[in-house]
Amino acid sequence: MTDVKAGVEYKINIDGNSFLLDSKKFQLLENILDTGSLTAAAKSIKVSYRTALNYIEKIESALNVKIVNTTKGGKGGGGGTSLTEEGYSILKECKKINAIMELHKDVNEIESEIVDINEARGVMTIKMNDFEINAPLNRNYEIGDKLLALISYDNIFLMLEPQTSSIRNILKGQIVEMKLENEVIRVRIDVGGINIYSDITLSAEKELNLNIGKEIYVGFKAMSVATLKL
């Protein structure tokens, strides 16, 4: 099995200046906030004080802003390092990205093909096995292109009856598996030979009276479909 891992980089833009903040520098800022000490923050990410200071200087030079404040203590100590307003803002935005990535880490991955493009509506129709769905139009795509459609588990909702909507994709399937994971039920639905997963609450499972073998409708907004060209 191929194991592929990607490191995270955050592109920071301030007044036309940009910097790619890698995970190590992100962790440094996070630990400065938590500890109030550059020495302790450097130790937590296993780099020297000099290296940590160099990280800070590179960020500040590239963005032309001050991201930390350092105060010297007297004989009894009392010095420390804290984030400036700009430094805290950078860290906050990175944390927001992390939260979004964590929320959508589980996605349905379905190979598909573009069969129609509607420029006026800004959507394209993609075919998966024997069914079709709508997705946001990427104007770099053409009819016939092969795509990987990505739909987050938590963007899939389940229904006992289909609901007509111009902004939703509604597909009929059959439940083939149900698993309880951390107070959420992960439901696997066979839709025309393709497995689609949905995460639902315990209350939703009881309300819908779901069980293995039951026919169900899955729905998701067209805008919730992300695509990658194969």
Side-chain angles (χ1 to χ4, degrees):
M1 178 183 292
T2 302
D3 184 18
V4 179
K5 295 182 180 179
V8 175
E9 287 188 327
Y10 310 85
K11 187 173 183 180
I12 313 299
N13 291 293
I14 298 178
D15 296 331
N17 300 310
S18 63
F19 184 82
L20 284 177
L21 190 78
D22 61 27
S23 59
K24 197 132 196 167
K25 295 179 183 67
F26 164 76
Q27 290 168 16
L28 178 65
L29 297 184
E30 191 171 41
N31 281 288
I32 288 173
L33 178 66
D34 291 341
T35 66
S37 166
L38 182 58
T39 301
K43 186 176 180 180
S44 68
I45 64 170
K46 300 179 181 178
V47 300
S48 69
Y49 177 88
R50 181 66 249 178
T51 298
L53 187 59
N54 182 255
Y55 286 168
I56 296 298
E57 290 172 348
K58 282 185 176 179
I59 299 170
E60 291 183 337
S61 176
L63 296 176
N64 196 30
V65 295
K66 190 170 180 60
I67 63 171
V68 300
N69 282 321
T70 301
T71 57
K72 293 182 179 180
K75 292 182 179 180
T81 302
S82 61
L83 297 180
T84 64
E85 184 178 342
E86 290 82 2
Y88 180 75
S89 177
I90 289 170
L91 181 62
K92 184 178 72 172
E93 291 304 311
C94 292
K95 284 189 171 185
K96 283 166 59 177
I97 293 171
N98 282 352
I100 293 169
M101 290 173 62
E102 181 65 22
L103 183 63
H104 297 288
K105 66 180 181 179
D106 293 320
V107 296
N108 293 285
E109 302 179 14
I110 309 169
E111 292 189 8
S112 56
E113 179 182 346
I114 300 176
V115 294
D116 186 55
I117 289 177
N118 189 320
E119 293 274 359
R121 291 180 57 205
V123 298
M124 55 188 180
T125 302
I126 57 179
K127 184 177 177 63
M128 307 171 175
N129 280 10
D130 295 328
F131 62 89
E132 297 177 354
I133 67 170
N134 290 323
L137 175 62
N138 184 319
R139 286 176 170 76
N140 293 321
Y141 295 166
E142 297 178 354
I143 292 176
D145 282 347
K146 306 292 183 182
L147 305 178
L148 186 65
L150 306 173
I151 314 163
S152 176
Y153 291 3
D154 54 1
N155 280 335
I156 303 287
F157 53 92
L158 305 182
M159 303 165 287
L160 298 179
E161 297 292 338
Q163 299 174 6
T164 303
S165 171
S166 60
I167 63 169
R168 293 178 178 174
N169 294 293
I170 307 295
L171 306 170
K172 186 176 182 179
Q174 185 177 51
I175 297 174
V176 293
E177 184 179 54
M178 297 175 65
K179 286 184 178 180
L180 179 62
E181 299 183 5
N182 299 321
E183 303 302 317
V184 172
I185 296 177
R186 178 155 293 175
V187 184
R188 177 160 62 95
I189 306 106
D190 182 339
V191 179
I194 292 177
N195 286 322
I196 292 181
Y197 291 84
S198 174
D199 285 344
I200 64 170
T201 62
L202 292 170
S203 59
E205 182 269 338
K206 289 181 180 178
E207 181 180 341
L208 295 170
N209 190 26
L210 302 182
N211 51 67
I212 294 175
K214 186 167 188 170
E215 289 191 340
I216 196 81
Y217 289 90
V218 302
F220 48 94
K221 293 181 179 179
M223 293 301 296
S224 69
V225 183
T227 55
L228 294 172
K229 190 173 179 179
L230 297 176

